[in-house]
Amino acid sequence: MDNMQFDLLALLPELVVLGMAMFILLLDLFILPQNRSMIYGLSQFTLFASAFFTFKTHTPAVGFAFSHMFIDDTLSDVIKLMMYLSTSLILVYTRKYLQDRNLYRGEFYAMVLFGLLGMMIMVSGHNLLTIYIGLELLSLCLYSLVAFDRDNPKASESAMKYFVLGALASGMLLYGMSMLYGMTGSLDVSDIANNIMQQNKSPVLIMGLVFVVAGIAFKFGAVPFQMWVPDVYQGSPTPMTLLIGSVPKLAAYAMTVRLLVQGLHPLALDWQDMLVLMAVLSIIIGNFSAIVQTNLKRMLAYSTISNVGFIMFGMMSANANGFASSFFYIAAYVLMSISGFGIILLLSRKGFEADEINDLKGLNQRHPWYAFLMLIVMFSMAGIPPTVGFYAKFTVLQAAWQAGFTWQVVLAVLMATIGAFYYLNIVRKMYFDEAVDHAPLTAPLDMRLVLSVQTLALLGLGLFPEILLSVCGHSLLISLQ
Amino acid sequence: MMQADLTSISWLSLAVWLPVLSGVLVLLLGGDHKATLTRWLALTGSLVSFLVTVPLYTLFDVQDGFFQFEELLPWVPAFNMHYHLGIDGFSMPLVLLTSFTTVIVVLAGWEVITNHIAQYMAAFLIMSGIMIGVFTALDAILYYVFWEAMLIPMFLVIGIWGGPNRVYATIKFFLYTLLGSLLMLVAFIYLYHQTGSFELADYYLLPLSLQAQIYIFIAFFMAFAVKIPMWPVHTWLPDAHVEAPTGGSVVLAAIALKLGGYSFLRFAMPIAPDAAHYFSTAMIVLSLIAVVYIALVALVQKDMKKLIAYSSISHMGFVTLGFFMFGQLALEGAMVQMISHGFISSAMFLSVGVLYDRVHSREISAYGGVVNKMPVFAAFAVLFAMANSGLPGTSGFVGEFMVILAAVKFNFWVAFFAATTLIFGAAYTLWMTKRVFFGNVTNHHVSELSDLNKREFLILSILAVLVIGFGVYPQALTEVMQATSAEFLKHMAISKLPVTGY
């Protein structure tokens, strides 16, 4: 019975999010539309409260719940804290957009919180089924959020694409998991690892691995499972693009650590090869395709694919240094992409999406400060110091080099130069071209303030990367022990 | 007692961060509607930043061939990176050149730049701090951060205030430089995994096989040769120089090119000395091609800025030539050439700027007989043209002469080709001067010209004094670098190949 108490303590943040999400869903039925900001406030409060509980209940020791189906370790706590922060930023940035388009409804917030819950479960999943349940909860929320603006045919189309391909990927993941279960007789991540070590590698095991890796690659959007990314990014309303493109990457990373590192490390030599291929292809295809885009969101989608390639560069090293560097990369990337989409949201207004590259023309004349912020984001994505993006690229490249991937590193460096071209193109439009659109900014003060602080943090972390580097490195090392 | 107090100040940090801070201040307080305030603020910032670099000269110990004014703080312990600054006889004159040029650039943009004046001034101030950072960093990643960060303001300067073809020029400039730098980053990653640190001193002592040294040297070469620039990776420079505003051209020519030359001395050569010897013939040939061929290219230019740009490449050929002959005279000649070229090319670009501000054309054919309308200016311009062609008594002569002298001892043919520059340099510079300044007034634009105003006179006379001053008394320069170049050559003479092995 003592055990049961501990169980619930480990789950406290999840319970808070779950309870609040249901409460918000109910409350929304009873309040007047003009009091909707209460829902917004409650959602932010929920994030704060679960951050508080995650922080308070944190111990260096690993906690389990529900007979090892749920794990509460340092890595999961750190990732969850990052998720709360990112989600909170997203809520700040999306509010105005939703209000302008009559999408400011309680369901949005409930869905975001349920999606967050799904991600938290993925992060803490120590059992194939837990991970899968978390993933499905997240995916269902994301599908419906993409279709949230139901009168928008483009959004419905991309929701459909996302759903069909996403369901396919989930199916593959589940199929792979079933093979792993068949060969090892267990769904528990550590049991699977122990079991594989005691047996010879069989083709079925490798087949299972292939499907699991494919499922992971789909969630990341790595080549050759990248097809959905550009369409969904472009077709979704910008707040949903922001949601899809940022926090779930953290969850996907945690899922990769649980499945590939903690569960399947005896097969590291096999999945390493797959990751190498996907990493290299993602960087090449992502960067080349991004060059020709005229739509900002689509360009950022291809840029995501190339960034995922860099993330895989760290993972393919298949050692702690590599995974720590990927973690740092993702943390930095999530911050960058939230800033980037945040600026798009800031510039958009009723009837104007600001999602074409040409919409940024002459931004320096109109709003030098926001042009400067976008400049930071773009140089950070291009990996130019002194921004955090440089350290992100640096850490994964040094990890890959250490693991002996010499020519891949040189290739990645060449591709980074190509990548710089399309980021520079944005800067060029903002600074060198004449403004075409002269409408004033209508964003509320809190959004401007938070966006400024967050984007300057990209610069701050670029000058002093030590804090984030050590947080990422230590939490991973503690959890892998 | 006083002396002790002065040396305890972190002069280098001040030299790096004061201009950056004043740049940020100009951005925050300045603006197009308060242009006067912005200009004075920028001038004050640049003057103060220049003043804090003066003690680097006065307190410099010329006997010491190693690093001075060192500052060492932990920066990123996770990767063993340090905030490590220091200067020696090579970098100290370049630091002063940088902070001095910034003052000139601020003055040169005084009333010429009218749109986004705060951003213009801030970009140059921030760039100045960053470039001083490049010259003083002794930690590889700190150096790399400064090296790359410099691209951002330069990209904006060319792109916002440049000429008609500026977008092409600035993107070409950025990508060319970035590609080279990223390969250098790969070299640093390799060295990091060999030594476990980013300390330059550790890299100097690291034994490396010839194979490894060759790869490292090539990676560095890609970064530095683009920056200098050496033939055949020079093609970004004429574009960038021509399209950049006057201030941008001045900074590019006077300082940015020196970043490449300096980095050869600081990184490529001492880290991979055997590879440097291995490639020395190739490097000398490339340098000579730059000296001779690019000088011929300069001869046929119709655009004044382009001509000076090619002349810069040709003069920088002397610098690399001097480096790779591995002799004290050659090395010091190359260093003197770098500093002197900083003054002369600034002066040349500023002179073109003076004409461009009045007529808005850089074509040589758009001028003729300028001397009739602008006698004072013509006097300055002819002086700088003489300096550019290496007339004795100007600083342009000293460096070239030292390198040629060293080359005669090294190899007759190298000296022969290097010496042709005295003819070609005179040919293209003086021919341009003749066509622009002398003869009859050719068109109404020229007949409407007015002579230098006080500001322009001030800038050009400061530069004229320096050009003649260093021409007459070059010891002021050579004396500070003597100990350092002796140490450098001692280091270069010792092979880093592992003693055991094949």
Side-chain angles (χ1 to χ4, degrees), chain A residues 224-287:
Chain A
F225 305 98
Q226 89 288 15
M227 305 297 183
W228 63 275
V229 180
D231 288 345
V232 172
Y233 269 51
Q234 189 183 5
S236 312
T238 313
M240 319 308 170
T241 316
L242 172 56
L243 264 174
I244 296 170
S246 53
V247 203
K249 295 278 179 289
L250 281 165
Y253 171 77
M255 179 170 85
T256 316
V257 172
R258 301 282 180 229
L259 289 176
L260 294 189
V261 182
Q262 292 181 326
L264 298 171
H265 66 82
L267 300 178
L269 282 178
D270 299 283
W271 55 255
Q272 196 178 17
D273 287 346
M274 301 183 216
L275 292 191
V276 172
L277 199 64
M278 293 195 298
V280 170
L281 286 178
S282 298
I283 291 180
I284 295 176
I285 291 177
N287 274 322

XYZ file of all heavy atoms in Angstrom, chain A residues 224-287:
492
model
N 13.054 9.363 -44.769
C 12.040 9.476 -45.809
C 10.595 9.534 -45.294
O 9.688 9.135 -46.010
C 12.275 8.189 -46.588
C 12.688 7.206 -45.550
C 13.427 7.971 -44.516
N 10.394 9.974 -44.089
C 9.028 10.065 -43.561
C 8.646 11.523 -43.354
O 7.978 11.880 -42.401
C 8.915 9.287 -42.249
C 9.347 7.864 -42.384
C 10.615 7.457 -42.015
C 8.484 6.922 -42.913
C 11.024 6.146 -42.161
C 8.881 5.602 -43.057
C 10.158 5.210 -42.683
N 9.127 12.382 -44.265
C 8.974 13.817 -44.060
C 7.808 14.410 -44.842
O 7.508 15.575 -44.689
C 10.272 14.519 -44.452
C 10.397 14.948 -45.904
C 10.600 13.787 -46.877
O 10.381 12.645 -46.541
N 10.998 14.114 -48.080
N 7.149 13.573 -45.693
C 6.177 14.122 -46.644
C 5.107 15.003 -45.998
O 4.666 15.987 -46.568
C 5.467 12.992 -47.403
C 6.389 12.054 -48.098
S 7.326 12.906 -49.365
C 8.235 11.558 -50.060
N 4.678 14.617 -44.815
C 3.572 15.359 -44.190
C 4.002 16.738 -43.717
O 3.190 17.647 -43.643
C 2.994 14.566 -43.021
C 3.963 14.337 -41.884
C 4.883 13.342 -41.787
C 4.108 15.132 -40.701
N 5.593 13.455 -40.628
C 5.142 14.550 -39.933
C 3.474 16.273 -40.212
C 5.547 15.069 -38.711
C 3.890 16.787 -38.996
C 4.911 16.193 -38.258
N 5.280 16.894 -43.408
C 5.703 18.109 -42.706
C 5.365 19.393 -43.474
O 4.674 20.269 -42.945
C 7.202 18.038 -42.353
C 7.647 19.284 -41.630
C 7.480 16.814 -41.506
N 5.818 19.539 -44.748
C 5.549 20.813 -45.433
C 4.054 21.096 -45.583
O 3.621 22.224 -45.337
C 6.193 20.629 -46.800
C 7.087 19.467 -46.686
C 6.591 18.622 -45.591
N 3.285 20.083 -45.962
C 1.856 20.311 -46.178
C 1.147 20.697 -44.893
O 0.321 21.611 -44.868
C 1.205 19.054 -46.768
C 1.625 18.856 -48.210
O 2.150 19.823 -48.789
O 1.437 17.756 -48.741
N 1.458 19.979 -43.838
C 0.769 20.263 -42.574
C 1.202 21.616 -42.018
O 0.376 22.406 -41.548
C 1.031 19.131 -41.566
C 0.492 19.499 -40.197
C 0.411 17.850 -42.045
N 2.494 21.910 -42.109
C 2.960 23.202 -41.608
C 2.272 24.346 -42.344
O 1.858 25.326 -41.744
C 4.480 23.335 -41.804
C 5.304 22.853 -40.640
C 5.094 21.605 -40.095
C 6.297 23.646 -40.094
C 5.859 21.155 -39.043
C 7.067 23.205 -39.039
C 6.842 21.962 -38.516
O 7.605 21.524 -37.464
N 2.196 24.209 -43.678
C 1.643 25.313 -44.458
C 0.138 25.410 -44.302
O -0.419 26.503 -44.215
C 2.017 25.140 -45.931
C 1.664 26.357 -46.759
C 1.964 26.147 -48.224
O 2.357 25.055 -48.646
N 1.786 27.179 -49.007
N -0.538 24.258 -44.281
C -1.995 24.268 -44.292
C -2.611 24.618 -42.953
O -3.697 25.185 -42.896
N -1.937 24.299 -41.874
C -2.547 24.530 -40.562
C -2.569 26.019 -40.246
O -1.707 26.755 -40.700
C -1.738 23.838 -39.479
O -1.448 22.535 -39.842
N -3.537 26.424 -39.439
C -3.468 27.794 -38.914
C -2.157 27.955 -38.140
O -1.705 27.004 -37.489
C -4.664 27.883 -37.979
C -5.565 26.778 -38.376
C -4.717 25.707 -38.953
N -1.554 29.141 -38.197
C -0.207 29.309 -37.635
C -0.083 28.852 -36.171
O 0.938 28.245 -35.816
C 0.248 30.765 -37.799
O -0.038 31.160 -39.129
C 1.724 30.916 -37.547
N -1.076 29.100 -35.309
C -0.898 28.612 -33.927
C -0.716 27.102 -33.855
O 0.067 26.598 -33.038
C -2.198 29.020 -33.236
C -2.743 30.116 -34.043
C -2.313 29.873 -35.446
N -1.435 26.388 -34.743
C -1.311 24.926 -34.711
C 0.052 24.501 -35.275
O 0.664 23.546 -34.795
C -2.425 24.265 -35.517
C -3.782 24.904 -35.356
S -4.294 25.088 -33.628
C -5.727 26.125 -33.828
N 0.530 25.239 -36.285
C 1.870 24.948 -36.803
C 2.888 25.118 -35.689
O 3.797 24.297 -35.520
C 2.218 25.912 -37.947
O 1.097 26.018 -38.806
C 3.406 25.416 -38.717
N 2.705 26.180 -34.955
C 3.606 26.439 -33.838
C 3.582 25.285 -32.845
O 4.621 24.800 -32.381
C 3.187 27.747 -33.167
C 3.848 28.164 -31.869
C 5.333 28.218 -32.029
C 3.338 29.519 -31.440
N 2.361 24.792 -32.552
C 2.225 23.682 -31.613
C 2.898 22.430 -32.140
O 3.635 21.747 -31.426
C 0.736 23.382 -31.410
C 0.075 24.003 -30.209
C -1.405 23.711 -30.249
C 0.690 23.437 -28.945
N 2.618 22.102 -33.407
C 3.160 20.866 -33.974
C 4.675 20.937 -34.071
O 5.369 19.956 -33.843
C 2.553 20.625 -35.377
C 1.060 20.407 -35.264
C 3.220 19.456 -36.055
C 0.369 20.394 -36.582
N 5.174 22.137 -34.421
C 6.594 22.249 -34.736
C 7.493 22.379 -33.532
O 8.710 22.373 -33.691
N 6.945 22.555 -32.356
C 7.847 22.832 -31.242
C 7.836 21.735 -30.177
O 8.665 20.830 -30.213
C 7.488 24.187 -30.630
O 6.125 24.222 -30.315
N 6.892 21.796 -29.251
C 6.942 20.925 -28.058
C 6.993 19.431 -28.398
O 7.723 18.687 -27.743
C 5.759 21.223 -27.117
C 6.091 20.778 -25.725
C 5.418 22.686 -27.137
N 6.222 18.954 -29.403
C 6.273 17.509 -29.670
C 7.667 16.999 -30.012
O 7.945 15.813 -29.841
C 5.332 17.337 -30.866
C 4.385 18.461 -30.752
C 5.185 19.599 -30.236
N 8.563 17.899 -30.452
C 9.933 17.439 -30.733
C 10.600 16.978 -29.442
O 11.371 16.020 -29.442
C 10.740 18.572 -31.361
C 10.243 19.009 -32.725
C 10.757 18.117 -33.832
C 10.247 18.540 -35.202
N 8.811 18.266 -35.409
N 10.294 17.678 -28.349
C 10.851 17.261 -27.055
C 10.327 15.878 -26.667
O 11.073 15.023 -26.197
C 10.471 18.274 -25.979
C 11.269 19.578 -25.918
C 10.545 20.589 -25.070
C 12.645 19.324 -25.349
N 9.018 15.681 -26.891
C 8.424 14.392 -26.550
C 9.002 13.289 -27.426
O 9.301 12.185 -26.951
C 6.912 14.467 -26.711
N 9.188 13.608 -28.703
C 9.740 12.606 -29.611
C 11.156 12.238 -29.184
O 11.561 11.080 -29.280
C 9.734 13.133 -31.039
N 11.873 13.240 -28.689
C 13.224 12.951 -28.212
C 13.181 11.992 -27.027
O 13.919 11.005 -26.978
C 13.923 14.257 -27.812
C 15.227 14.024 -27.115
C 16.346 13.665 -27.834
C 15.326 14.125 -25.735
C 17.546 13.420 -27.205
C 16.521 13.878 -25.091
C 17.625 13.532 -25.829
O 18.808 13.276 -25.191
N 12.280 12.289 -26.077
C 12.180 11.424 -24.905
C 11.793 10.010 -25.323
O 12.346 9.026 -24.823
C 11.155 11.988 -23.936
N 10.873 9.929 -26.279
C 10.450 8.607 -26.760
C 11.651 7.867 -27.363
O 11.825 6.663 -27.136
C 9.348 8.789 -27.800
C 8.837 7.508 -28.395
S 7.351 7.785 -29.383
C 8.055 8.245 -30.944
N 12.485 8.602 -28.085
C 13.662 7.969 -28.682
C 14.599 7.456 -27.606
O 15.151 6.352 -27.717
C 14.407 8.977 -29.571
O 13.443 9.667 -30.345
C 15.381 8.284 -30.473
N 14.784 8.265 -26.562
C 15.677 7.824 -25.492
C 15.122 6.562 -24.841
O 15.836 5.573 -24.622
C 15.858 8.938 -24.440
C 16.612 8.418 -23.236
C 16.587 10.114 -25.053
N 13.811 6.577 -24.548
C 13.228 5.405 -23.881
C 13.322 4.166 -24.760
O 13.708 3.089 -24.299
C 11.756 5.652 -23.556
C 11.484 6.843 -22.671
C 11.759 6.571 -21.223
N 11.483 7.756 -20.419
C 12.313 8.262 -19.520
N 13.468 7.681 -19.271
N 11.989 9.338 -18.849
N 12.950 4.327 -26.041
C 12.875 3.136 -26.894
C 14.265 2.695 -27.348
O 14.657 1.558 -27.140
C 12.007 3.418 -28.117
C 10.503 3.546 -27.855
C 9.772 3.913 -29.122
C 9.954 2.231 -27.305
N 15.000 3.588 -27.967
C 16.255 3.164 -28.589
C 17.387 3.013 -27.591
O 18.171 2.076 -27.680
C 16.662 4.152 -29.690
C 15.748 4.214 -30.900
C 16.368 5.040 -31.999
C 15.416 2.826 -31.422
N 17.474 3.934 -26.631
C 18.619 3.859 -25.720
C 18.333 2.910 -24.571
O 19.070 1.958 -24.329
C 18.974 5.250 -25.176
C 20.190 5.160 -24.281
C 19.247 6.197 -26.321
N 17.221 3.165 -23.859
C 16.974 2.338 -22.681
C 16.457 0.957 -23.056
O 16.741 -0.017 -22.384
C 15.998 3.049 -21.745
C 16.642 4.293 -21.144
C 15.745 5.024 -20.188
O 14.530 5.042 -20.383
N 16.327 5.637 -19.178
N 15.714 0.872 -24.160
C 15.123 -0.415 -24.517
C 15.977 -1.215 -25.478
O 16.185 -2.412 -25.303
N 16.462 -0.563 -26.513
C 17.062 -1.320 -27.605
C 18.560 -1.056 -27.756
O 19.112 -1.234 -28.835
C 16.339 -0.993 -28.920
C 14.858 -1.372 -28.932
C 14.178 -0.832 -30.155
C 14.690 -2.880 -28.868
N 19.227 -0.632 -26.671
C 20.661 -0.357 -26.846
C 21.466 -1.573 -27.254
O 22.513 -1.424 -27.883
C 21.245 0.342 -25.613
C 21.249 -0.480 -24.382
N 22.219 -1.403 -24.126
C 20.391 -0.530 -23.337
C 21.961 -1.995 -22.973
N 20.854 -1.484 -22.478
N 21.015 -2.796 -26.947
C 21.792 -3.922 -27.476
C 21.788 -3.964 -29.011
O 22.638 -4.603 -29.612
C 21.078 -5.147 -26.896
C 20.318 -4.639 -25.730
C 19.925 -3.246 -26.069
N 20.807 -3.304 -29.618
C 20.759 -3.287 -31.083
C 21.330 -1.990 -31.646
O 21.054 -1.630 -32.788
C 19.312 -3.443 -31.556
C 18.589 -4.721 -31.127
C 17.166 -4.700 -31.617
C 19.314 -5.941 -31.681
N 22.124 -1.272 -30.834
C 22.573 0.061 -31.228
C 23.246 0.067 -32.590
O 23.031 0.964 -33.400
C 23.529 0.630 -30.181
N 24.043 -0.968 -32.877
C 24.747 -0.967 -34.157
C 23.767 -0.977 -35.315
O 24.042 -0.419 -36.375
C 25.663 -2.196 -34.246
C 26.963 -2.068 -33.461
C 27.767 -3.339 -33.571
C 27.759 -0.871 -33.957
N 22.616 -1.601 -35.104
C 21.639 -1.667 -36.199
C 20.905 -0.349 -36.376
O 20.774 0.152 -37.484
C 20.637 -2.794 -35.920
C 21.329 -4.126 -35.835
O 21.677 -4.658 -36.889
O 21.573 -4.620 -34.706
N 20.396 0.231 -35.263
C 19.658 1.478 -35.457
C 20.563 2.648 -35.771
O 20.152 3.622 -36.390
C 18.677 1.788 -34.338
C 19.124 1.848 -32.902
C 18.889 0.918 -31.951
C 19.825 2.919 -32.233
N 19.403 1.312 -30.744
C 19.971 2.532 -30.876
C 20.322 4.143 -32.628
C 20.607 3.341 -29.929
C 20.963 4.945 -31.693
C 21.108 4.536 -30.366
N 21.832 2.521 -35.388
C 22.772 3.588 -35.715
C 22.843 3.806 -37.228
O 22.763 4.938 -37.709
C 24.142 3.192 -35.173
C 25.107 4.337 -35.086
C 26.426 3.893 -34.501
O 26.736 2.700 -34.451
N 27.216 4.833 -34.059
N 22.939 2.703 -37.972
C 23.023 2.826 -39.435
C 21.805 3.527 -40.010
O 21.905 4.361 -40.906
C 23.133 1.437 -40.062
C 24.511 0.846 -39.817
O 25.395 1.621 -39.418
O 24.671 -0.356 -40.030
N 20.629 3.141 -39.473
C 19.403 3.772 -39.989
C 19.416 5.270 -39.708
O 19.057 6.081 -40.559
C 18.177 3.150 -39.316
C 18.041 1.666 -39.531
S 16.517 1.108 -38.753
C 17.013 -0.491 -38.156
N 19.833 5.630 -38.500
C 19.835 7.057 -38.148
C 20.818 7.832 -39.006
O 20.538 8.957 -39.415
C 20.172 7.240 -36.663
C 19.134 6.757 -35.659
C 19.491 7.236 -34.262
C 17.750 7.238 -36.017
N 21.978 7.227 -39.295
C 22.968 7.921 -40.119
C 22.347 8.284 -41.458
O 22.414 9.428 -41.923
C 24.219 7.042 -40.326
C 25.158 7.696 -41.333
C 24.931 6.814 -39.027
N 21.713 7.295 -42.058
C 21.110 7.508 -43.371
C 20.044 8.599 -43.301
O 19.999 9.527 -44.126
C 20.501 6.192 -43.841
C 20.245 6.101 -45.328
C 21.559 6.164 -46.058
C 19.503 4.825 -45.649
N 19.181 8.491 -42.298
C 18.092 9.473 -42.190
C 18.643 10.860 -41.902
O 18.150 11.854 -42.438
C 17.120 9.052 -41.093
C 16.367 7.792 -41.449
S 14.934 7.514 -40.414
C 15.666 7.355 -38.826
N 19.679 10.918 -41.063
C 20.242 12.227 -40.727
C 20.803 12.904 -41.964
O 20.484 14.059 -42.265
C 21.345 12.053 -39.676
N 21.615 12.168 -42.708
C 22.262 12.753 -43.881
C 21.216 13.176 -44.911
O 21.241 14.297 -45.423
C 23.271 11.746 -44.467
C 23.764 12.223 -45.814
C 24.431 11.566 -43.515
N 20.258 12.275 -45.179
C 19.237 12.608 -46.178
C 18.385 13.793 -45.734
O 18.025 14.651 -46.547
C 18.343 11.393 -46.430
C 18.981 10.278 -47.248
C 18.033 9.114 -47.387
C 19.369 10.806 -48.623
N 18.052 13.836 -44.448
C 17.211 14.938 -43.964
C 17.907 16.273 -44.169
O 17.297 17.248 -44.604
C 16.912 14.781 -42.472
O 16.205 13.619 -42.247
N 19.193 16.297 -43.857
C 19.916 17.567 -43.993
C 19.966 17.983 -45.456
O 19.714 19.138 -45.799
C 21.333 17.436 -43.404
C 21.253 17.296 -41.898
C 22.161 18.651 -43.753
C 22.570 17.164 -41.221
N 20.235 17.023 -46.332
C 20.360 17.373 -47.754
C 19.003 17.812 -48.308
O 18.859 18.912 -48.861
C 20.896 16.168 -48.547
C 22.321 15.858 -48.097
C 20.869 16.469 -50.037
C 22.906 14.625 -48.743
N 18.004 16.961 -48.143
C 16.703 17.251 -48.768
C 16.058 18.476 -48.135
O 15.528 19.350 -48.821
C 15.796 16.005 -48.679
C 16.362 14.928 -49.598
C 14.363 16.346 -49.059
C 15.630 13.627 -49.567
N 16.136 18.557 -46.800
C 15.540 19.711 -46.129
C 16.132 21.018 -46.619
O 15.415 21.947 -46.980
N 17.448 21.076 -46.682
C 18.088 22.342 -47.055
C 17.842 22.704 -48.509
O 17.560 23.854 -48.827
C 19.593 22.271 -46.790
C 19.926 22.628 -45.362
O 19.305 23.521 -44.796
N 20.859 21.929 -44.780
